[in-house]
């Protein structure tokens, strides 16, 4: 996060994709013109995340999903809002990773990129590739400090739109009262609209309207319409429309049945 909200704080997140533990004491973070050394014994576990920021409290207040125990106070080098660089060196002075970022890497449809972090799409692909970065999803508050990125390219074979269960009985008995709708866009630069229709083609409930989502997002339908009333028994269509910054539009649908309890 190089362009925080007014009175906000920058952060740099580290992720360990390997199987070894690392003590970051003596490691350095550099912007090219200035370098800061980590002077405490921070342990980075396998699959773990560490967020370096001058103001952990500000980050946790700004991003309510932030994992507080993964936020650490650290005086980062200056990160310009328009463009800059950041590199990570181990205790031997070996450059481990680097990125030269630019604000134009953000999604074009965002009106304001203040407070929006850039997220790496493929962990083991180069951080120097513009195509390997995307704006964090609006559904996650535009940043995921201390936990998995909202934007990650999905593995092959994943179903783009799915529901579970496909038959619901919203009668309050605690069994199959809710339908979980999972969306996994192939293109991370997507805006999503998600609407429930009856078989007459009438929209009964809107769950999302041009919402930016990550590589996976989950919505819940409780069998009610836009007024909060329970819908009639029968078949309904969940329709997802995806719009990408390249101008492509995708439309996907899947059926849900509203029934009585058995």
């Amino acid at each position: 996060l190089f362009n925080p909200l007014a009175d906000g704080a920058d952060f740099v997140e580290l992720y360990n994709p390997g199987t070894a533990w690392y003590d970051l004491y003596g490691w350095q973070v550099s912007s090219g013109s200035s370098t800061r050394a980590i002077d405490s014994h921070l342990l980075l576990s396998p699959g773990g995340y560490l967020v370096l920021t001058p103001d952990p409290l500000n980050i946790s207040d700004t991003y309510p999903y932030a994992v507080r125990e993964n936020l650490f106070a650290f005086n980062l080098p200056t990160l310009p809002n328009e463009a800059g660089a950041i590199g990570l060196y181990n205790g031997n002075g070996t450059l481990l990773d680097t990125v030269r970022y630019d604000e134009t890497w953000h999604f074009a449809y965002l009106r304001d990129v203040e407070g929006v972090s850039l997220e790496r799409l493929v962990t083991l692909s180069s951080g120097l590739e513009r195509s390997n970065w995307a704006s964090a999803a609006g559904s996650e508050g535009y940043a995921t400090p201390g936990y998995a990125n909202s934007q990650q390219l999905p593995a092959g074979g994943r179903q783009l739109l799915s529901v579970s269960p496909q038959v619901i009985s919203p009668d309050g008995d605690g069994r199959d009262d809710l339908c979980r709708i999972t969306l996994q866009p192939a293109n991370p630069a997507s805006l999503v609209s998600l609407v429930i229709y009856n078989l007459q083609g009438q929209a009964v409930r809107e769950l999302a309207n041009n919402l930016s989502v990550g590589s996976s997002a989950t919505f819940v339908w409780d069998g009610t319409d836009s007024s909060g009333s329970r819908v009639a028994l029968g078949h309904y269509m969940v329709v997802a429309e995806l719009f990408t910054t390249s101008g492509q539009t995708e439309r996907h649908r899947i059926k849900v049945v509203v029934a009585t309890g058995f």
Side-chain angles (χ1 to χ4, degrees):
L1 178 69
F2 53 88
N3 186 2
L5 295 170
D7 299 322
D10 295 340
F11 72 74
V12 171
E13 181 181 74
L14 307 181
Y15 169 65
N16 177 8
T19 58
W21 287 75
Y22 293 97
D23 182 351
L24 305 190
Y25 179 80
W27 289 31
Q28 297 180 331
V29 178
S30 177
S31 65
S33 59
S34 63
T35 300
R36 301 283 190 271
I38 298 173
D39 58 4
S40 58
H41 292 279
L42 296 182
L43 295 179
L44 184 54
S45 65
Y49 297 84
L50 291 178
V51 175
L52 305 178
T53 175
D55 193 341
L57 182 59
N58 175 273
I59 297 300
S60 62
D61 286 345
T62 304
Y63 304 102
Y65 301 130
V67 180
R68 297 190 179 190
E69 56 266 30
N70 291 339
L71 309 181
F72 294 91
F74 181 73
N75 185 24
L76 287 169
T78 299
L79 300 177
N81 291 345
E82 293 78 22
I86 196 76
L88 178 68
Y89 295 80
N90 66 15
N92 296 323
T94 301
L95 178 64
L96 302 180
D97 203 2
T98 186
V99 56
R100 296 185 181 93
Y101 65 84
D102 191 287
E103 65 177 357
T104 61
W105 290 13
H106 280 294
F107 292 158
Y109 57 70
L110 290 175
R111 295 181 180 178
D112 188 352
V113 297
E114 283 192 356
V116 182
S117 72
L118 281 177
E119 295 187 329
R120 196 172 186 145
L121 299 178
V122 181
T123 301
L124 298 180
S125 292
S126 174
L128 295 174
E129 298 175 3
R130 173 177 179 169
S131 60
N132 200 25
W133 295 88
S135 305
S139 57
E140 288 292 319
Y142 294 108
T144 59
Y147 63 103
N149 290 346
S150 63
Q151 304 287 9
Q152 299 181 65
L153 290 179
R158 295 169 68 183
Q159 188 175 357
L160 188 143
L161 181 64
S162 60
V163 297
S164 179
Q166 197 160 20
V167 179
I168 63 173
S169 55
D171 52 13
D173 68 352
R175 186 178 67 179
D176 296 338
D177 289 327
L178 305 173
C179 174
R180 186 175 65 254
I181 303 165
T182 301
L183 186 66
Q184 301 182 97
N187 189 329
S190 297
L191 291 176
V192 171
S193 292
L194 192 68
V195 181
I196 311 292
Y197 291 89
N198 60 24
L199 292 188
Q200 288 71 50
Q202 300 168 322
V204 298
R205 181 73 178 274
E206 181 181 74
L207 298 179
N209 183 7
N210 285 340
L211 176 68
S212 66
V213 300
S215 53
S216 181
T218 299
F219 304 87
V220 174
W221 184 44
D222 60 1
T224 62
D225 60 19
S226 57
S227 67
S229 301
R230 181 175 167 178
V231 300
L233 304 181
H235 293 235
Y236 292 83
M237 297 300 299
V238 180
V239 179
E241 288 188 306
L242 286 75
F243 311 92
T244 71
T245 55
S246 62
Q248 296 177 324
T249 301
E250 298 179 14
R251 188 180 177 93
H252 302 269
R253 63 183 66 196
I254 193 168
K255 182 173 67 176
V256 174
V257 179
V258 177
T260 58
F262 298 102

